[in-house]
Structures are given as C-alpha cells and as structure tokens.
C-alpha cells in the first residue's frame, strides 16, 4: 500500500469502525464550530464554504469530545510508513450547495480558476502581497482527510491530479537547489510552481475522490489537489459536505519537506 501511495501520491482507506467511532465524537464539535460566532470569518464564498482552519477542538493526539486518540488504519499507516506527528487543531472544511462563489476580495481570474480548475493548489504555499507571490510557508508532512458527513460523490468532492507530486516535488527541489541555503526560507517559487502546475493539468489524470464517514484518505504534501464545484443534482445531509483535515508540519522544516518520501 505504501508503494501505491508513493507512486500515485494518494491512498484511500476503506470503512474503518475505529475511525467511524472517532467521527461520531467529532461531528457535534464540528457542527458547533460552524455555527459559533467566533468562527464567523471562516464563512466565505458567499456562504458556500466554511473554511474552518483550526476549528476542531482536538488535542495533539486527536482526542475530541471524550474520544480516544485518533486511530485506525489510516493512522497506523502514517505511523508505520510516514512518521507520526503531533496533531494541530483540525480544519473543518464544509461545502454547501451553490459552491463555488467568489471568495471575499477574489478577482475575476482567481474565481475563474476556482470554478474551472477546482482551485487546484499545493498546501502550504499561500500567496502573499499584491503580486500573490508564493513561498513555502507551512512545510506539511502529509494531509489526512476524514469525511464527517454523508454526501453524494458529485457534492464538491476533493479533486486530485494523480502523480503530480513527482513533477511538483522535482520542480521545488530544482528551484531550491539553484539558491544557497540562506535564501531558502524566503525563496519565491511562484514561477516554478505555476509552470509545473500547467504541465500537471496536461499530463496527470484528474480524479474526484469521494468518501463516507469512517473512510479516510491521505495525500502526499506535494500533490496538486482542489475542490470540484457542487453539481446541480448533488445531495448531502444537513451538514453539507463536511471533511476534517489534519496536515501537521514537519518539525525539521523545509529541508525535510523538500524530500520526496
Ligand atoms: Fe488543500
């Protein structure tokens, strides 16, 4: 299974009763976070996306609302093959019917990209400044997605470009190797990132990844991924299409992030 993960850049884990039990503890907490006024800033895209960064009230081992630590097949896979990390508060990402609409302050081109290219991105490379230049701001180790609600496969599923982590990882490594180590922390990788992303759209298969509560998927940190629009006839339970994400950062930082494994 680890060979498939390294080759394709993702792996999905089947229904797991241990994880399903964790979801039952997490779901009421996630619901409360969505309606908590302290998180109101996270409602964006004209009410069609609750972004919910750090909105889950879990501890470093994933305990939430009286649950045991986050466990099950996905966590065992991570611990065995990728290395355990202390968990941050999880993101609670919820998509509602009508997505996408523009984010606050989002320009026409960026919105078009959201609608036509699933807002495809590599996590941790956030744009900054008026030129939207990108640096590696968060050297994530891996990305674990845990569906919390029932939704149809066309209800704004996660989208990924299979194998894109190879091309992007090489492009990042090349960009960094051309500069001395002192320059790495602030290195602007926008050009390499955007050029490689265009190649990925041409050459890597786009896959829509659906999941039910009790299932989980794991993405390589260099994998290009995004969110598909909510299809016209898509359905979900009253929570919308709700997913918890964990993407802890490497304590070793950027040098470790640049490696391919
Ligand atoms: Fe992401």
């Amino acid at each position: 299974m680890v060979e498939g993960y390294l080759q394709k850049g993702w792996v999905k884990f089947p229904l797991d009763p241990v994880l399903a039990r964790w979801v039952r503890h997490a779901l009421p907490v996630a619901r409360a976070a969505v309606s908590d006024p302290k998180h109101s800033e996270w409602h964006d895209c004209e009410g069609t996306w609750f972004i919910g960064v750090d909105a889950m009230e879990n501890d470093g081992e994933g305990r939430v609302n009286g649950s045991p630590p986050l466990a099950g097949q996905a966590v065992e896979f991570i611990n065995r093959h990728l290395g355990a990390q202390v968990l941050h508060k999880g993101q609670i990402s919820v998509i509602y019917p009508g997505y996408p609409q523009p984010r606050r302050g989002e320009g026409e081109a960026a919105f078009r990209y959201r609608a036509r290219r699933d807002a495809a991105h590599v996590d941790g490379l956030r744009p900054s400044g008026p030129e939207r230049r990108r640096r590696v701001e968060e050297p994530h180790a891996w990305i674990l997605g845990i569906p919390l609600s029932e939704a149809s496969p066309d209800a704004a599923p996660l989208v990924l470009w299979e194998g894109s982590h190879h091309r992007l990882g090489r492009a990042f490594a090349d960009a960094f190797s051309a500069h001395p180590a002192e320059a790495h922390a602030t290195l602007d990788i926008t050009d390499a990132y955007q050029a490689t992303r265009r190649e990925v759209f041409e050459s890597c298969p786009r896959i829509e990844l659906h999941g039910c509560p009790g299932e989980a998927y794991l993405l390589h940190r260099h994998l290009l991924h995004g969110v598909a629009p909510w299809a016209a006839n898509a359905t979900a339970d009253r929570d919308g299409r709700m997913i918890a994400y964990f993407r802890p950062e490497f304590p070793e930082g950027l040098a470790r992030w640049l490696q391919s494994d």
Side-chain angles (χ1 to χ4, degrees), residues 121 123 225 247:
H121 62 279
D123 280 358
H225 65 277
R247 49 172 81 73

Side-chain angles (χ1 to χ4, degrees), residues 29-92:
V29 176
R31 283 179 179 147
V34 169
S35 54
D36 189 331
K38 83 175 178 197
H39 295 310
S40 61
E41 280 284 294
W42 288 127
H43 288 277
D44 207 335
C45 293
E46 300 179 7
T48 61
W49 186 20
F50 178 75
I51 303 170
V53 173
D54 295 341
M56 182 71 86
E57 295 294 335
N58 58 272
D59 72 7
E61 289 183 279
R63 290 180 196 84
V64 60
N65 190 24
S67 80
L70 186 64
Q73 296 173 59
V75 171
E76 283 163 24
F77 179 95
I78 289 168
N79 292 351
R80 183 171 316 146
H81 300 295
L82 309 182
Q85 303 289 343
V86 176
L87 295 179
H88 55 91
K89 286 181 171 183
Q91 178 186 5
I92 303 165

